[in-house]
């Protein structure tokens, strides 16, 4: 009803887009690093356990254990960095959502007290805000999950798409 109720929503939308535009590329890079680290630790563990008899024979279990632990720590470091970024993203989006709700509620009450809008307009505006908040959370998790999977797919494609080094005779 009142264009003054659109101003907080437009500001929220700008903040939402800018936040996603900043964090999504960061999550994509971290996802790629995490996929590479996951591949490396999987390779280390498979190598250690597929050669377990040799490891036992030459009593290098402590070396292999340290080798596997260092690979796992590198993987966990990428997981922790990604989770920190996701936590920051969630914090900023929740702050934007709270700011939108407070500003719409405050503006609605101010306009209602001066008899410029009806209670129906307030109910509509607050319902719209609550729906936007739910959708923004869903979109954020879907985008974050998509970019996490993109890192895994990129890692797999790089593995599959390598040029053959051994060629068949004519």
């Amino acid at each position: 009803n009142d264009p003054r109720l659109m101003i907080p929503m437009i500001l929220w939308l700008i903040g939402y887009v800018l936040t996603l535009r900043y964090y999504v590329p960061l999550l994509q890079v971290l996802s790629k690093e995490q996929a590479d680290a996951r591949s490396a630790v999987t390779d280390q563990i498979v190598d250690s356990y597929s050669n377990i008899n040799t490891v036992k024979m030459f009593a290098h279990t402590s070396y292999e254990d340290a080798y596997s632990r260092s690979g796992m720590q590198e993987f966990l470091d990428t997981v922790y960095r990604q989770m920190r970024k996701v936590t920051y993203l969630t914090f900023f989006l929740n702050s934007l959502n709270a700011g939108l709700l407070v500003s719409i509620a405050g503006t609605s009450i101010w306009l209602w007290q001066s008899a410029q809008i009806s209670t129906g307009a307030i109910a509509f505006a607050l319902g719209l805000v609550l729906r936007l908040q739910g959708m923004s959370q869903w979109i954020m998790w879907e985008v974050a999950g998509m970019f996490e999977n993109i890192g895994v797919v990129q890692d797999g494609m790089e593995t599959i798409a390598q040029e053959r080094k051994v060629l068949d005779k004519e």
Side-chain angles (χ1 to χ4, degrees):
N1 283 349
D2 196 294
R4 290 175 283 192
L5 290 176
M6 287 183 2
I7 294 170
M9 289 186 187
I10 292 170
L11 293 174
W12 171 86
L13 182 62
I14 291 168
Y16 184 78
V17 168
L18 290 176
T19 301
L20 286 181
R21 188 173 174 151
Y22 176 76
Y23 278 102
V24 165
L26 289 177
L27 289 174
Q28 183 177 9
V29 169
L30 285 172
S31 174
K32 176 76 172 91
E33 290 174 12
Q34 187 177 7
D36 290 343
R38 182 183 296 120
S39 272
V41 77
T42 301
D43 290 347
Q44 289 173 351
I45 291 170
V46 167
D47 187 43
S48 293
Y49 286 107
S50 63
N51 296 310
I52 194 70
N53 289 333
T54 307
V55 170
K56 285 182 177 182
M57 188 182 314
F58 292 103
H60 287 284
T61 53
S62 60
Y63 170 78
E64 292 296 327
D65 186 44
Y67 180 64
S68 294
R69 285 182 189 270
S70 71
M72 182 58 87
Q73 189 57 52
E74 289 175 24
F75 169 67
L76 288 175
D77 289 344
T78 63
V79 170
Y80 296 149
R81 281 187 294 159
Q82 184 181 27
M83 292 310 296
R84 270 193 297 278
K85 293 296 181 199
V86 169
T87 301
Y88 292 145
L89 173 61
T90 303
F91 171 77
F92 285 121
L93 290 182
N94 284 339
S95 298
L96 281 170
N97 289 343
L100 177 63
L101 184 61
V102 168
S103 62
I104 289 290
T107 304
S108 295
I109 291 170
W110 172 66
L111 291 171
W112 177 74
Q113 285 179 337
S114 60
Q116 295 180 35
I117 61 170
S118 66
T119 54
I122 294 173
F124 176 77
L126 291 176
L128 181 62
V129 167
L130 293 173
R131 183 72 180 138
L132 278 173
Q133 288 179 348
M135 289 174 58
S136 74
Q137 290 293 331
W138 176 78
I139 289 169
M140 189 260 315
W141 284 115
E142 291 299 319
V143 167
M146 180 180 71
F147 278 99
E148 182 177 333
N149 292 330
I150 284 175
V152 173
V153 169
Q154 283 177 334
D155 185 49
M157 292 301 290
E158 288 173 9
T159 301
I160 293 171
Q162 290 182 2
E163 199 171 307
R164 291 182 293 164
K165 293 184 172 86
V166 177
L167 300 174
D168 293 335
K169 289 184 178 181
E170 298 274 338

